[in-house]
Amino acid sequence: MNLSISQKIVFGFGLILALTASLGFYVLSAFEEVRTITTKIVDQDVDFLNHLRLVRRSQDGARLCYERAVSRQLLKKAGLSTLDPQEMALAWQDARQQTEAALQRLSSSAKATVGLGGDHGQLRAKIGQAVEEMETLCVRLVREGEPTFPLILADRFAELEPRMASLDRYRDQFDAVADTAREQIQQLIELGKRAIGEAHDSARLSIGLVLGAILLLGGLSGFALRRSISGPMGRLITLVHRVGEGDLGQRAEGFGLQEFGRLAESFNQMIEGLRRVAERTREATSGLTTASNQIFAATQQQTASASEQSSSVQETTTTMQEISASGSQISERAKHVARAAESSSEASKAGLRAVQDMGAAMDAIQKQAEAVAQNIVVLSERTQTVGDIIRTVNDISEQSNLLALNAGIEAAAAGEHGRSFAVVASEMKALADQAKEATVQVQSILGEIQRGINTSVMLTEEAVKRVAAGREKSEVADTTIRSMADSIRESVTTFQQIVAATNQQQIGLEQVAQALKNIMGATAETASGTRQLEASAKVLNDLSGNLLEVVETYRL
Amino acid sequence: MMNDCQSRGVLAADPAGILRERARRLAAWSDTLVGDRRTASVLVFGLGSEDFALPVETISEVVPFAGCTPVPRAPAEVLGVINLRGVIHPVIDLRCLLGLDAGPEEHRPAHILFLRRGRGLGLLVGQAKRIERVDIEQLLRPATDATADHHFVRGILPGSFALLDLDAALSALHGSKATTS
């Protein structure tokens, strides 16, 4: 029988479900039967019993009213009570009517009941007869009792006595019949109970039988199902156990084409996949070992570099503090320089005034030098005039010389007579020579004067030129000092900016110091993290070694 | 020259110094006057780079040279003619006649010496300087077999001047005139 597991399971469960359903239906029918019997007992017999009780109670009430009416009449007559006996007559009427109504209901109940057959039916018939008898007795009681009330109210107790005796007789008969009926009803109830028990027993027996059959069938089908599943499953479990122990050379075969066949196929695929996974894992584990070793080495390097970084950051912090100190020094010096530049600005103003005074003085010097030049020119002209005069004197002395020579010649021509004249001529010659020498001397002196004048003229011109140059230079100095003052003012501004910038730099440096502190903290954290990483790398290395051992357990 | 040196300091000295100098010179002059007759008066003049002298008796007058009118076809020594107080006088360049080189004193004013004899011949010389009395005996005679220049020199006063032989010089002029004409 080549059925799939699902088909087998569906078949087995279907069978069990069908049996269970039939059992349920049977149990329901048995319950229905028991319920019917119970309903009969409860609805009919108990109802009947209750009606009987009501009849007895209302009968007792009527009797109580009758006795109260008698006793009240007696008490009234004796003058001990003022209670009205008439009320009790009226109450007796009510109780009589209640009794009749209860008897009516009891009768209808007795007629409506259905017998269960057998003893039950006979008992019910007897109960019906008793009820009829009770009705008859009730009618008699009413007929006997009702006419006695006027006698009671009229205090005719003497006439009443015989009637009360018959009344008591009827009452005893009624009670006896009621007791009989009650006992019969009790028997009826006992019979009903017995019928219920019988129905219950039969239902229990049949249910037990059917349950046993169902259990047997279910067990059989379960056993069959178990056998059809657990056999291949056990083989597969054995295979899986071997694979789990690392033997990847196993193959599952001979499991048919159904679920176990497909499972075996998947199992073979799984083994194949496991084999590949094991191979790759082995390769990967060796790679992982290498990598974890590298990570370990790198982590150690990182630890070293983290400590280096920490020391570098320490150095940088020190440098930053030095820079900060030098920055504050720069700021102080820039403030000093700014103050010095301000004083330089004042000095440059003074220098500017001095240069302007110097320019005025230069102007005065230039005017004076020009006056001196004019004077020198005039002097030079005078000297020229003197030179002309000297030349004239020179000519005159020349002519005097010639005149003296000619006189000497004439004296010589005169012979002895001209001898004294020759002396005079010689004297004239001497005077002319002296005059000439004097003119020569004057001329040389004039030449020196002229040279001196020329030198003076040149010097004066030079002085004028130099004054002009000095004026230009003073203007240049003026411009220079002005530009210097401007640049000093700019320098003041610049130094104030430098001071401000240095303050900002200080703030920035403090921020940098804070950042460096953070970096220090981060570096410390990095170092601790790196140590943790190193430990983790060690653990990873161990793990990779373990993994390699684990992978080695797989036999390909 | 000593006189020049002393007279140069005249202006710087006091008038008493001037008078003393003058007295000394007059005394020196009187010494020459009372000397013997071998002395002679000569006119010293510059010519070229040297000084020459002529006897005073041969010269009639000294005038400054202010240019002259050139004469056509005249010898090289003859500069031209000059008008002196209405009389025309020929002028001869003595330096050229004597064959002397130009001296450093050429730029100085030149004088013309007019001779007494002849027709008042004018000699262009450098500067007429002075009249001096010289001792004839003291003059050195030049050697007979001397050069042509010395032919015109009658005697030399060492360190001072050469006394020209005017006749010889003029004969050279005439000789050259004859050769040229």
Side-chain angles (χ1 to χ4, degrees), chain A residues 36-37 40-41 45 114-121 124 188 191-192 195:
Chain A
T36 310
I37 294 164
K40 277 178 183 170
I41 291 165
D45 300 349
V114 180
L116 290 173
D119 295 338
H120 199 270
R124 177 143 317 261
L188 196 65
L191 278 176

Side-chain angles (χ1 to χ4, degrees), chain A residues 416-429:
Chain A
E416 287 298 320
H417 303 288
R419 185 170 294 267
S420 58
F421 187 69
V423 171
V424 173
S426 170
E427 195 64 20
M428 279 174 62
K429 172 79 168 90

Side-chain angles (χ1 to χ4, degrees), chain B residues 29-83:
Chain B
W29 187 255
S30 66
D31 283 345
T32 59
L33 280 179
V34 296
D36 55 14
R37 291 204 173 254
R38 287 175 300 181
T39 60
S41 291
V42 293
L43 178 69
V44 181
F45 56 89
L47 190 65
S49 57
E50 296 174 39
D51 278 359
F52 292 92
L54 279 173
V56 172
E57 296 82 10
T58 62
I59 295 165
S60 66
E61 195 176 357
V62 180
V63 298
F65 176 66
C68 61
T69 307
V71 178
R73 293 183 61 84
E77 297 86 359
V78 179
L79 283 173
V81 293
I82 192 169
N83 181 7

